[in-house]
Amino acid sequence: MTDVRIAGVGLTHFGNHPERTGRDMFAEAAGMAVSDAGVQRADVEALHYGNFMGSLAEHQSHQGPLMAEAAGLDCQATRYETACASSGAAAREAVRAIEHGDADVIVAGGMERMNNMGTAGATEGLAIAADELHEVRAGVTFPGAYALMARAYFQEFGGDREDLAHVAVKNHENALGNETAQYQRAITVEDVLEAPMVSSPLGLYDSCPISDGASATVLTSEEYAEEHDLDAPVAVTGTGQAGDRMALHDRESYVRTPAAEEAAEQAYTDAGVVPGDVDLAEVHDCFTIAEVLALESLGFYGPGEGIGAARRGETTADGDRPVNLSGGLKAKGHPVGATGASQLAELTKLLRGDHVNSDAVPDAEVGVAHNAGGTVASCVVHVLEVVA
Amino acid sequence: MTDPSEYPNQGYDEWIDAIAAGEGYHLVCPEGHGSLPPRRICPECGAGGLAEEPLPASGEIETYSVTHVASPRFEDDAPYAIAIATFGDVAITGQVRDVSPENVDAGMVVTVDVDESATDDEPVVVFRPR
Ligand SMILES: [Zn+2]
């Protein structure tokens, strides 16, 4: 089976861009990715595109062909929706199509426009990733759902708000030099602890911002990359996806994310690596507690041990295994449908050495991307390796 | 967004009415797995033939959060405590009423009821300290 190469990546600035249309943002990201890859537009055989709430934000469904056209691509196009894991799932299906020999060149990416809805509209839009009848009608918001997990974690394993604050401080620190990040601004533990409460125990600085932005990757077969002499040293060597019960109250545990554990196991097996081989990771830190749960589900820490990782300096840029060197969702921003592919874009640059934070991981060979939907009722994990 | 009161949800609406009448129930499959309606197939084992059985008289709060930033549907309700409580072999998400949010705690024994949202008068599943 062919190794799927990441031949090019593109990202718009993530941030507050309520005036930008979705098609314009995706065109920018896809255009960058195609140029970065050096592939001919005519060679692109499919667009796999992730988007979550475009039906609400822009009154626009059937976004696949719209975005292909915007990007100057003349090919089949499909929109994938798995909440915040939408473009992770889109990229995974692209990887599988290339692995199976169905295509040699696919653009995989995503876009989300949120700020044009206002804070209240975006909050309501995000909430529809939960069970409408049994969670949203009871008043569960997206931060509220993760707050229920955070409280349960504190009760079961200990840890406190200050431990979580170190996750936010770390991710802001990592984003300082990242020009596409929403926040290039350092914060302190005190800032996090003193910020207004959103849904206890999670405050404003425990939460990712509301973001507009787009991401894109160009994925090719190994054969295509070699025939066309592409500079594509990074490959997707492992992919996994798993699901769980939709409503948090139907899970066996509120402090474990078995969909992520299963997706990681699939991806590790596919790549032939173990957690100890992983040099760096981009994980889905929509809230600080989510990074903790991700570290444990990826096998970097046992249950209850991930909470202190940032505080102990193990996941910081100078730590043993840096996590979210891009700034993560917390500081880089979280345009929901763009996030999964943006993790692949950031990891690719970190691994090939042209990311502003590449110096933190000069010898890195194996990276992992963890992209979760809802309260991890969906999860996609990818393993990326330097192969050339 | 369409107002939730504008369309019926068969199976769910009856469940809400039953809880409001003090006759709350859950579904149980032939293998004994509990779940909440509307549901045709047991999510645990795939069995059909789900039967309605009364909810236990009281449940226990497992985890909770006080939400200060609400969606527009609940903006006049904030701050409110949201909780997951177990009632026998099912767990339910609801708002905790009749106690100030800061006094809600895990392990609290509660009953389940239906109250109104202060924002739009829509029905909300609530827990009250027993
Ligand atoms: Zn069953």
Side-chain angles (χ1 to χ4, degrees), chain B residues 29-33 42 44-47:
Chain B
C29 84
E31 299 292 321
H33 303 128
C42 173
E44 199 63 38
C45 69

Side-chain angles (χ1 to χ4, degrees), chain B residues 68-122:
Chain B
H68 297 264
V69 180
S71 79
R73 282 194 211 177
F74 291 102
E75 57 188 359
D76 297 339
D77 294 70
Y80 58 86
I82 188 104
I84 295 175
T86 49
F87 290 79
D89 49 10
V90 294
I92 297 173
T93 301
Q95 286 183 24
V96 191
R97 297 275 169 99
D98 295 354
V99 54
S100 63
E102 63 269 24
N103 289 330
V104 172
D105 207 352
M108 187 176 269
V109 176
V110 294
T111 58
V112 64
D113 193 7
V114 170
D115 205 340
E116 287 182 351
S117 157
T119 310
D120 62 8
D121 302 333
E122 288 296 317

Side-chain angles (χ1 to χ4, degrees), chain A residues 4 9 66 114 189 196 208 243 272 282 316 344 388:
Chain A
V4 176
V9 300
L66 179 74
M114 303 171 71
V189 168
C208 65
E282 288 288 311
T316 50
L344 301 181

